[in-house]
Amino acid sequence: MASYAIPPRESTKQQEESVRSDQAATDPVDPAAQPLNPKSDSEKEMKNQIFISFTFKARDKAECLKKKIEESLGPGTCWICTEGVGPEQGMRDEIAEAMDHAKVVICAISKEYPDSAECEREVKLAFEMKKTLIPVLLDDVQWPLRKSDGGPSGMSYIFADKLYQKLYSKNSADREVDLEGLIDTLKEKLVFPGKVRKPLSASLEESKEELNQQLQQKYSKLTKQVRPIPFIKDKRSIDKVFTDVGMNYKPFGEDEPWQKLNNHHEIPIGTIGQSRVNIIEGDAGYGKSMLSLRLVHDWCTRDQCPLLSNIDILIYLNLRQLGGVASIYEAIVKCLLPLDSSIKEADVKQLLQSKDIRTLLLLDAYNEYPDKDKEDNFVSHILQGTLLQHVKVLLTTRSSCIPEECDVHAGRIKLTGFDGRAREDYVRKVVTKGDEEATQKILTQLNTNATLADICQAPLLFVIYAHSAHRAEINIDFRSVTEFFGCMVKCFHYHVRNKAQTKATAEEQAQFQEFKDNHDTLDRLAYEALCAENQQLTWDRDIIAGELGKEFYKRHTDIGILVEEEVINRNFPSQPDPYKTEVRLFHKLACEWYAAHHFVKRLRSSPSSLPGNLVDLMDPSELQHVYRFACGLDPIAARQVLDLLKQKWDCNSLAVLCALEQTDKAGDVLDTVRDLVSCDVIIRGSDSRLLRRTTIELVQRACQHEIPVSCLRLEGCFKRFDATSSCIILRSDFPLANLKTVRVLHMSEERTDVEITRDELFRLLQTCEGLTELRVDSERILLPLSIPPETIPPVLRRRNINILCVRQHGLVYRLSFEHGQWKIHNQCAGQSLGVAINQRDSQLGQEWCLQELKMAAEADVSIALW
């Protein structure tokens, strides 16, 4: 609550110090850590549990927020400053007392909030008192918070690890905002009558305790059997090898921005309240399963992860193993509980259906779930909310395989891979065990090859590289993912061979070489597994051993490329053995590697046509590495693959990645480059580092060989133009130089203002020698308001470049080199125009808005200003 609500206050410093001194003696305790209080239904305990901090100008919105909350949680739940409280009544004491009593402080953030010194004091006091802080956005404000002059707010640090909740609508007609997420969060944090859970019956409590005991025994085994890479035989505990990857969180709703999470403890599991279902997504090898195991470990240890500490039952299921399983209850009994367990499916059903038991379902590897395409499967019902609708769900999957059945309230957590700090942490913690010299050697090798560094953004690939590089000298001159993965597979073989070298016979050594180079049967099995309906990625041990041959099978299980795992026998008790052994490749990426070899063989055998089952069953969005590996393995197959990607699936981004997997024949590569740059080439800020670098390399290679680039689109990635080096610098700090054959340059930006000066504009146009059009489709990229005609270089005048700027509501302006002024381009008189001037905009941004008003008036365009 802000100082605008009352007259100026006296002795501010003394009063504030008094408040803090008084509060220090209260020794407040985090309410989130307190047990549920069976006496919390009293009106006295319920009163004023929520302190609402706001500015006077947002009083109406704060009052409305208070009313809405109390409609759900009961009258008197919230405390806000009333107009009748002034300095003479001890207002600061009143605030301190209210905050001391409150369990939660809601920061109702309006546009004026970041500039309010009183609101900042309240936030800092709440922080010192260890209150639960919930930032709620009443207006469209910049996050992290910045003051109106563009400077950082003192509250930004405190809010750095907080997930805000948006309670405004961009549609001015939409006055009703959804408070469900906020109410759910408050229910998690507060002590109030509706939160008191009924004591479980003695039998149900006993069943819950027995189930948890058996689950923890199972999970203890799972989390202590981690092998970082195939040839490492000793199994380790997940907490000894796990390193957090980059994570971004997006609450449900199309317009919600992505928010950075600092570590896995911040993943919203129930306590955030916005989403019943949260999807953890990431590309192949980005650590989804490792993260799942870490969460399981944290639940078992309880004290490691605050967000899991209030979960009564955690159910962890690997969906890859659940083909043909009819129900979630059957899956739990067969996959998680011992054979002699007294807990039956009916008991599990009763526990999971109880709303007095807080349950989390952690469903791993949805993209490998055999039944995901079947209409009636229990996972779909859970995601839709037609089954166990009160249960929280975390589901992991590849980014290309987000379930359509998910309800509209699903949140998204995107894994973005290892950054430099995570790589260093992993090497030091797991690989070199603190050996600084060895650590620096591995990291230095990595940083000398930019392509390798980008490949190793994927945690799985980095882990393979780091362990391999630590154990032996390896060639790091990789130019593609195909070269990298092929080298790593060879390292697996060489490592096992070298260990056995002293006692291996000549025949056995020859066999090592034979198995390393010839794996046609494994290639075929991997290919058939990916092409099969629902992708059957495991094999019965006796069947695959028979197909591969005893020695080949043994060698590949010794290496760790093939992995045995004991699973429930679904035919038990009709068959005597309750368990059976299935075999899989150590990672689906390995399955794609071997499948690509067979794919190439089939393409070479029928160069004029593609296998029908390929077109129907091998979706490149889900199996992109099959296509990339195939292009890297064989240039003839590459041509067919690229034609398929462009003609059938229109996968230009994947085509770019596939094209630059070819590293042998320059002529074939240039033909591919020519085809790809004949249509729009797009670099997005949301692309992976590898895709961005690969696309830049594509453009640079085209310009180097005088191949015209029809249109280069920079979407959300433009940072600045460096006139000194004549380079466009992208937000990832990648440089874009030598753009002489680019015909159209199209730039858009949504996040921050970027100004391009007159001299930078001239230099940019001169650098792009073949440019015919520069189009800036954003209000964030600010070109000069005008240019004195006499300063325009003659060479630019002669080229008559079309310079367009698309501003609010799609209105297009064109810069005339003849007069050096902007004019409205191809718009009819009488069109309406809306212009917004924001105090957070830069000076040039505000001047552009005023210029728009002037041009609109001259062109007879009606104006709406807000």
Side-chain angles (χ1 to χ4, degrees):
M1 165 301 340
S3 57
Y4 308 120
I6 59 169
R9 303 168 185 174
E10 299 176 357
S11 304
T12 300
K13 184 174 181 179
Q14 294 177 2
Q15 292 180 34
E16 184 174 358
E17 288 176 350
S18 175
V19 168
R20 296 189 180 184
S21 175
D22 292 343
Q23 181 55 34
T26 64
D27 190 23
V29 179
D30 184 359
Q34 298 303 296
L36 295 173
N37 187 346
K39 298 180 180 180
S40 63
D41 56 353
S42 69
E43 186 175 343
K44 181 178 179 181
E45 277 190 273
M46 185 59 195
K47 189 174 179 61
N48 296 341
Q49 290 199 47
I50 302 169
F51 181 107
I52 301 180
S53 169
F54 63 98
T55 66
F56 179 61
K57 289 187 177 181
R59 169 173 290 281
D60 290 344
K61 293 180 179 179
E63 292 277 8
C64 180
L65 177 61
K66 175 179 182 291
K67 178 181 177 182
K68 293 286 187 182
I69 292 174
E70 292 185 344
E71 285 176 359
S72 296
L73 303 184
T77 309
C78 301
W79 185 94
I80 65 173
C81 180
T82 60
E83 290 182 328
V85 179
E88 67 283 354
Q89 296 172 286
M91 181 173 184
R92 287 188 178 275
D93 292 339
E94 187 87 5
I95 291 174
E97 182 180 350
M99 192 171 290
D100 179 37
H101 179 77
K103 303 294 189 297
V104 172
V105 175
I106 292 180
C107 301
I109 300 174
S110 59
K111 292 179 180 178
E112 300 81 17
Y113 198 92
D115 292 316
S116 170
E118 285 302 319
C119 288
E120 184 171 338
R121 289 190 187 98
E122 291 170 0
V123 169
K124 289 180 177 178
L125 182 59
F127 180 72
E128 291 178 5
M129 287 181 167
K130 301 186 183 333
K131 299 298 181 182
T132 298
L133 279 162
I134 301 178
V136 170
L137 306 190
L138 302 180
D139 296 323
D140 185 9
V141 300
Q142 187 172 349
W143 193 269
L145 287 183
R146 303 191 77 85
K147 295 183 178 181
S148 58
D149 61 4
S153 166
M155 296 175 263
S156 298
Y157 173 79
I158 295 174
F159 289 144
D161 62 345
K162 304 291 187 292
L163 294 176
Y164 63 77
Q165 305 219 17
K166 188 180 77 171
L167 293 186
Y168 68 88
S169 172
K170 292 184 178 180
N171 181 2
S172 58
D174 183 13
R175 298 300 182 187
E176 293 295 324
V177 293
D178 182 13
L179 290 179
E180 180 181 352
L182 178 60
I183 297 299
D184 285 347
T185 301
L186 293 172
K187 286 179 178 180
E188 292 286 347
K189 300 295 183 184
L190 298 181
V191 176
F192 69 101
K195 184 175 179 177
V196 176
R197 295 191 292 161
K198 299 175 183 177
L200 299 179
S201 65
S203 60
L204 196 60
E205 183 68 37
E206 183 179 348
S207 295
K208 186 191 79 171
E209 293 302 320
E210 184 178 357
L211 175 63
N212 276 342
Q213 183 180 13
Q214 294 176 15
L215 288 176
Q216 294 199 23
Q217 290 174 350
K218 176 71 173 181
Y219 297 159
S220 177
K221 294 178 181 179
L222 287 175
T223 58
K224 292 178 181 177
Q225 296 180 344
V226 178
R227 293 168 59 186
I229 62 172
F231 60 70
I232 294 181
K233 291 301 183 182
D234 58 312
K235 298 177 180 179
R236 309 180 186 183
S237 176
I238 184 67
D239 61 310
K240 303 301 183 185
V241 300
F242 179 82
T243 301
D244 271 306
V245 301
M247 286 178 281
N248 293 326
Y249 172 65
K250 184 179 185 295
F252 68 89
E254 289 294 327
D255 297 330
E256 293 293 338
W258 289 93
Q259 306 170 38
K260 180 178 174 60
L261 302 180
N262 294 312
N263 53 57
H264 71 282
H265 295 306
E266 296 181 2
I267 293 176
I269 305 173
T271 55
I272 297 302
Q274 283 196 319
S275 308
R276 184 185 72 89
V277 176
N278 282 291
I279 299 173
I280 299 176
E281 60 179 280
D283 292 334
Y286 269 61
K288 300 179 290 294
S289 293
M290 291 289 282
L291 175 58
S292 298
L293 286 177
R294 180 63 204 234
L295 291 171
V296 170
H297 170 273
D298 288 354
W299 178 74
C300 291
T301 57
R302 293 289 180 173
D303 59 340
Q304 297 296 316
C305 187
L307 287 175
L308 286 165
S309 61
N310 69 339
I311 297 298
D312 296 320
I313 297 175
L314 185 144
I315 302 297
Y316 166 72
L317 292 168
N318 190 318
L319 295 179
R320 172 170 45 80
Q321 302 173 347
L322 300 185
V325 177
S327 75
I328 182 74
Y329 317 114
E330 177 189 357
I332 293 168
V333 170
K334 288 187 174 181
C335 296
L336 300 179
L337 304 185
L339 288 174
D340 59 354
S341 173
S342 62
I343 297 179
K344 307 303 179 186
E345 289 184 32
D347 302 317
V348 174
K349 182 175 182 180
Q350 185 181 16
L351 288 167
L352 265 60
Q353 288 185 341
S354 172
K355 294 184 179 180
D356 295 314
I357 298 176
R358 293 165 296 196
T359 301
L360 172 67
L361 298 181
L362 178 48
L363 307 177
D364 189 25
Y366 175 81
N367 54 290
E368 298 182 42
Y369 177 40
D371 295 344
K372 65 179 181 296
D373 294 324
K374 294 183 179 179
E375 290 186 7
D376 193 25
N377 66 75
F378 70 84
V379 175
S380 294
H381 286 299
I382 290 171
L383 296 178
Q384 290 171 345
T386 55
L387 175 66
L388 301 177
Q389 61 267 32
H390 63 285
V391 170
K392 302 292 184 182
V393 181
L394 268 179
L395 178 136
T396 76
T397 184
R398 283 194 184 184
S399 298
S400 58
C401 192
I402 305 297
E404 295 180 358
E405 306 93 337
C406 246
D407 61 17
V408 296
H409 296 295
R412 304 272 288 275
I413 299 105
K414 181 178 291 184
L415 306 186
T416 58
F418 271 172
D419 59 13
R421 172 58 66 84
R423 293 171 185 167
E424 184 176 343
D425 289 347
Y426 181 85
V427 171
R428 187 172 284 113
K429 173 182 176 182
V430 184
V431 181
T432 65
K433 305 293 179 58
D435 184 333
E436 195 60 32
E437 182 179 351
T439 299
Q440 292 308 315
K441 180 181 177 182
I442 293 172
L443 297 176
T444 300
Q445 284 183 336
L446 179 70
N447 294 328
T448 58
N449 184 333
T451 300
L452 175 61
D454 291 340
I455 290 172
C456 287
Q457 183 181 1
L460 172 70
L461 300 183
F462 173 74
V463 167
I464 292 174
Y465 157 76
H467 286 277
S468 300
H470 182 55
R471 291 168 180 260
E473 293 291 335
I474 61 173
N475 173 29
I476 62 167
D477 188 24
F478 303 116
R479 295 168 293 171
S480 68
V481 176
T482 305
E483 287 185 351
F484 173 86
F485 207 83
C487 179
M488 294 300 106
V489 172
K490 289 179 182 177
C491 285
F492 299 164
H493 284 274
Y494 288 147
H495 175 76
V496 175
R497 184 198 66 180
N498 293 340
K499 286 180 66 176
Q501 195 77 32
T502 56
K503 55 184 179 181
T505 65
E507 181 180 353
E508 288 173 333
Q509 292 182 31
Q511 197 177 60
F512 265 114
Q513 189 67 29
E514 172 70 14
F515 290 160
K516 177 179 72 68
D517 296 334
N518 298 316
H519 36 77
D520 290 350
T521 303
L522 182 57
D523 297 342
R524 174 180 58 79
L525 291 173
Y527 177 83
E528 291 172 351
L530 293 177
C531 283
E533 184 178 3
N534 302 323
Q535 294 187 12
Q536 303 295 334
L537 303 181
T538 59
W539 300 270
D540 181 272
R541 179 177 59 184
D542 295 336
I543 293 175
I544 191 173
E547 290 244 26
L548 294 175
K550 181 179 178 181
E551 291 301 324
F552 184 99
Y553 176 81
K554 183 178 185 304
R555 185 77 63 227
H556 282 72
T557 51
D558 287 345
I559 293 170
I561 290 175
L562 290 174
V563 178
E564 295 181 343
E565 57 185 6
E566 191 177 58
V567 298
I568 198 75
N569 186 350
R570 299 189 189 100
N571 295 320
F572 179 79
S574 60
Q575 293 181 357
D577 193 348
Y579 294 104
K580 67 176 183 177
T581 302
E582 289 187 343
V583 180
R584 60 179 175 85
L585 285 153
F586 74 91
H587 194 276
K588 190 176 180 182
L589 202 58
C591 192
E592 293 184 57
W593 167 256
Y594 287 103
H597 287 76
H598 187 75
F599 181 28
V600 167
K601 186 176 180 180
R602 296 199 63 174
L603 291 173
R604 293 295 297 266
S605 66
S606 56
S608 60
S609 61
L610 291 168
N613 63 337
L614 163 72
V615 174
D616 295 332
L617 296 176
M618 291 190 68
D619 182 351
S621 65
E622 186 176 348
L623 300 172
Q624 61 160 292
H625 282 91
V626 173
Y627 295 87
R628 293 173 66 179
F629 289 148
C631 290
L633 292 168
D634 188 276
I636 296 176
R639 171 56 57 188
Q640 292 174 275
V641 167
L642 290 167
D643 288 343
L644 176 69
L645 291 175
K646 290 189 294 182
Q647 294 171 14
K648 180 171 180 60
W649 283 300
D650 192 26
C651 297
N652 283 338
S653 295
L654 180 54
V656 170
L657 291 170
C658 288
L660 295 182
E661 289 294 319
Q662 305 173 77
T663 57
D664 293 332
K665 295 186 178 180
D668 292 335
V669 175
L670 290 181
D671 287 342
T672 301
V673 169
R674 187 174 287 104
D675 288 345
L676 291 173
V677 300
S678 63
C679 51
D680 288 7
V681 178
I682 305 174
I683 303 176
R684 298 182 178 89
S686 58
D687 290 338
S688 69
R689 286 180 61 87
L690 182 61
L691 178 54
R692 274 176 280 167
R693 187 182 293 279
T694 303
T695 309
I696 290 170
E697 186 178 341
L698 172 73
V699 174
Q700 306 284 257
R701 197 172 294 189
C703 293
Q704 180 183 354
H705 291 87
E706 303 291 338
I707 300 173
V709 180
S710 62
C711 179
L712 174 60
R713 301 170 63 95
L714 306 180
E715 298 184 356
C717 62
F718 178 78
K719 184 176 182 180
R720 61 187 175 87
F721 179 77
D722 186 0
T724 305
S725 59
S726 299
C727 286
I728 291 176
I729 306 298
L730 302 184
R731 191 177 292 133
S732 55
D733 289 330
F734 288 157
L736 257 177
N738 184 22
L739 301 178
K740 62 182 181 181
T741 65
V742 174
R743 298 295 183 255
V744 175
L745 179 59
H746 188 167
M747 301 189 295
S748 61
E749 177 59 51
E750 296 294 334
R751 300 199 317 195
T752 56
D753 286 350
V754 182
E755 297 184 8
I756 299 178
T757 67
R758 180 189 66 187
D759 292 341
E760 289 172 347
L761 177 62
F762 291 162
R763 190 63 181 152
L764 172 62
L765 298 177
Q766 290 169 333
T767 300
C768 303
E769 298 175 8
L771 198 69
T772 60
E773 179 176 302
L774 171 65
R775 183 183 179 96
V776 175
D777 194 359
S778 172
E779 299 169 31
R780 295 296 190 184
I781 301 177
L782 302 170
L783 297 176
L785 279 172
S786 63
I787 298 177
E790 64 275 10
T791 65
I792 301 174
V795 64
L796 294 182
R797 285 178 176 276
R798 290 193 296 269
R799 285 171 57 188
N800 194 29
I801 302 170
N802 203 25
I803 302 178
L804 303 175
C805 182
V806 183
R807 298 279 293 176
Q808 302 178 47
H809 298 293
L811 204 58
V812 182
Y813 302 94
R814 184 177 186 275
L815 179 63
S816 168
F817 271 2
E818 181 180 356
H819 305 101
Q821 301 292 327
W822 293 93
K823 299 293 183 183
I824 293 180
H825 182 63
N826 72 1
Q827 296 293 326
C828 302
Q831 178 181 349
S832 62
L833 168 66
V835 175
I837 300 180
N838 195 312
Q839 64 178 352
R840 298 193 308 274
D841 291 341
S842 65
Q843 181 177 343
L844 181 58
Q846 295 184 21
E847 290 175 353
W848 250 104
C849 291
L850 296 175
Q851 180 82 343
E852 283 189 274
L853 296 175
K854 179 181 177 182
M855 288 186 286
E858 293 173 352
D860 191 25
V861 175
S862 60
I863 304 167
L865 177 63
W866 61 86

